[in-house]
Amino acid sequence: MRAGKNAVDQTALTTKRQSLRREIYRILESPRGGGWIRRWIDAGLILLILINAALIVIEEVMPPGAYAVELRVVEWVTVAVFAVEYGFRLWVAAERDDRHHLSPWRLRLGYILSPVGLIDLCAFAPSLLSGLIFLDPRYLRLVRLLKLVRYSPALQSLAAVFYKERRTLFGALLIAVIALFVSAGVVHLAEREAQPEAFGTITESMWWAIVTVARIGYGDVVPHTPLGKLIGGVSALLGLCVVALPSAIMASGFIEQIRRRDFVVNSKLVLQVPLFADLQIVHIVEIASMLRPLAVPPLYRIVRAGDAADCMYFVVSGELQVDLGERRVKLSNGDFFGEMGLLNKAPRSADVVAVTDTQLLVLEASDFDKLTRVYPEMRSTIETYAAKRSTLQS
Ligand code: CMP
């Protein structure tokens, strides 16, 4: 009897701990935003990072040893705050919606080894080990500055483009390496006798090849023979393509990324949702102002069964899957989901996961109530769908 009660207590505790972890994940990490608490936490962390950045300059202009106690206090406050932040991020990494198919420990390891995870760790860990490793605090403050990546959408986009275009960029890098070796090899053949000190071996010729193909041209080493000069000209022209290729890949990837991230909700987009298509244009414009865009990658879990329902979603493009346990239902352009939780004021009834890159429009619960009050016929259409869906669930 007592063992049974203990088991029940243990289960309740685990569930409580999980829902707390989920809530903290939502506040700290969820791309849907953690509301005003996230804004305050982010503002506090950014302020601390900026104080650390300012200290790099202040410390260098102040006489050595000045304000030593104050600086130590700032250092220990920084270490304590960043260590606590790291602990929380590590704990809630198990809740990640974009890799929900992995085990909690794989997700935590993923955070530890991710670029942001490593930056987060390096922002405080070396200070704790300062007795063991010698490190000038100024370098540590430079690392802390990297934490701003988390708060810069432009830098995040750049990192995402690097990752997305990694294969193409690797191809361009391979072409550059081949161009360098060919250029260094032929200039070595042409110049080795005229200038053995600069072009005596292919490796020595490599410096000249790099500055020529990269079109920097320091001029510290230049070919003297006519053939060497011809090779120099061809290498510089080759450099045009070698440099242009990765720049073009990055530029087009960046534009695509920004377009996806910043797609704005306009009337044309709203008209793509059949539920709104028959409304007059004035109403469409009003509805557009209530909707928020959200772009998610494949495998991203947008809705998790059991979570509180605070909004519903309309699919502009992409494919999604509703996980009903034994069955899976596909959703695509023009469909909507998340309405059941709002109508029934109940937790989410199923997981909804993106299958492809997906663009959604999000309607918050308060706007849903407003909208369905103004357009009762819209509410009855949504209710009909919800009723049909719940019969399919049972
Ligand atoms: P909600 O319960 O808020 O969150 C999960 C959503 O999955 C649910 O709302 C519906 O929008 C959607 N859903 C549930 N069952 C089905 C179904 N049988 N077909 C399509 N969508 C469904």
Side-chain angles (χ1 to χ4, degrees):
M1 188 75 174
R2 178 172 273 262
K5 190 176 177 307
N6 280 350
V8 171
D9 286 351
Q10 197 59 37
T11 317
L13 198 69
T14 311
T15 317
K16 235 182 190 170
R17 200 184 306 139
Q18 265 171 2
S19 53
L20 179 69
R21 192 172 72 183
R22 181 82 192 149
E23 185 55 19
I24 297 176
Y25 167 80
R26 197 185 62 77
I27 292 170
L28 284 182
E29 303 277 8
S30 166
R32 288 232 6 254
W36 63 270
I37 307 182
R38 159 94 68 96
R39 279 196 288 279
W40 275 103
I41 292 174
D42 284 355
L45 291 172
I46 290 172
L47 184 68
L48 200 54
I49 296 166
L50 293 180
I51 290 173
N52 271 270
L55 285 183
I56 298 174
V57 182
I58 293 170
E59 247 188 317
E60 287 193 344
V61 296
M62 273 189 325
Y67 298 108
V69 177
E70 288 83 351
L71 288 173
R72 269 196 95 69
V73 170
V74 175
E75 178 62 17
W76 283 110
V77 168
T78 305
V79 169
V81 171
F82 288 166
V84 170
E85 181 206 357
Y86 186 80
F88 272 116
R89 289 198 194 276
L90 186 62
W91 185 47
V92 303
E95 295 290 329
R96 276 185 69 161
D97 282 317
D98 54 344
R99 307 257 163 85
H100 56 96
H101 51 292
L102 298 176
S103 72
W105 290 107
R106 284 278 303 276
L107 289 169
R108 290 199 179 110
L109 191 66
Y111 168 67
I112 292 171
L113 299 177
S114 69
V116 279
L118 290 171
I119 294 171
D120 285 347
L121 185 68
C122 292
F124 72 93
S127 289
L128 297 177
L129 301 173
S130 57
L132 297 177
I133 52 170
F134 172 76
L135 197 66
D136 187 330
R138 283 176 307 161
Y139 301 134
L140 213 58
R141 296 200 176 112
L142 279 178
V143 174
R144 287 173 188 158
L145 206 54
L146 292 180
K147 275 173 77 74
L148 285 177
V149 170
R150 197 188 286 283
Y151 308 102
S152 161
L155 284 175
Q156 281 170 9
S157 296
L158 194 66
V161 172
F162 258 114
Y163 185 72
K164 201 153 182 244
E165 302 291 344
R166 64 194 182 283
R167 286 195 188 88
T168 333
L169 286 170
F170 182 70
L173 181 72
L174 225 54
I175 294 172
V177 170
I178 292 169
L180 283 178
F181 271 96
V182 170
S183 185
V186 289
V187 82
H188 155 73
L189 288 177
E191 292 283 323
R192 65 186 162 175
E193 271 154 30
Q195 301 184 74
E197 66 294 344
F199 296 100
T201 62
I202 294 181
T203 320
E204 278 167 337
S205 311
M206 197 56 94
W207 169 246
W208 172 86
I210 291 170
V211 292
T212 309
V213 171
R215 303 177 65 252
I216 300 166
Y218 289 126
D220 55 341
V221 204
V222 288
H224 289 168
T225 65
L227 183 60
K229 286 180 182 167
L230 179 69
I231 293 164
V234 174
S235 298
L237 287 177
L238 199 68
L240 270 181
C241 313
V242 169
V243 173
L245 210 57
S247 314
I249 294 167
M250 284 305 290
S252 66
F254 203 60
I255 290 168
E256 170 64 19
Q257 183 72 15
I258 297 278
R259 196 186 61 73
R260 263 179 51 71
R261 197 198 66 204
D262 292 348
F263 81 101
V264 283
V265 182
N266 55 32
S267 311
K268 242 178 162 176
L269 216 56
V270 177
L271 279 168
Q272 286 179 30
V273 179
L275 194 66
F276 306 129
D278 293 335
L279 297 177
Q280 288 174 346
I281 194 70
V282 274
H283 302 307
I284 298 276
V285 172
E286 193 192 340
I287 290 170
S289 69
M290 294 181 180
L291 297 165
R292 187 166 50 80
L294 178 69
V296 292
L299 290 182
Y300 191 90
R301 180 174 53 192
I302 302 134
V303 161
R304 187 169 113 149
D307 274 3
D310 51 2
C311 62
M312 73 172 286
Y313 302 84
F314 298 91
V315 186
V316 175
S317 65
E319 252 183 49
L320 305 107
Q321 211 165 255
V322 183
D323 192 348
L324 298 170
E326 273 151 37
R327 257 176 353 102
R328 294 200 158 88
V329 179
K330 277 214 157 74
L331 298 177
S332 59
N333 305 11
D335 285 332
F336 57 81
F337 61 94
E339 79 295 348
M340 288 167 69
L342 292 188
L343 287 170
N344 306 333
K345 305 251 180 286
R348 298 296 189 194
S349 58
D351 277 6
V352 183
V353 178
V355 177
T356 60
D357 274 323
T358 301
Q359 295 198 324
L360 301 163
L361 298 175
V362 186
L363 180 68
E364 298 297 335
S366 53
D367 288 327
F368 172 81
D369 290 338
K370 239 186 275 166
L371 194 72
T372 50
R373 228 178 293 126
V374 180
Y375 303 103
E377 65 289 359
M378 201 179 285
R379 187 179 183 98
S380 51
T381 309
I382 296 175
E383 276 173 349
T384 312
Y385 269 87
K388 231 189 269 168
R389 286 171 173 179
S390 36
T391 49
L392 283 172
Q393 277 183 356
S394 47

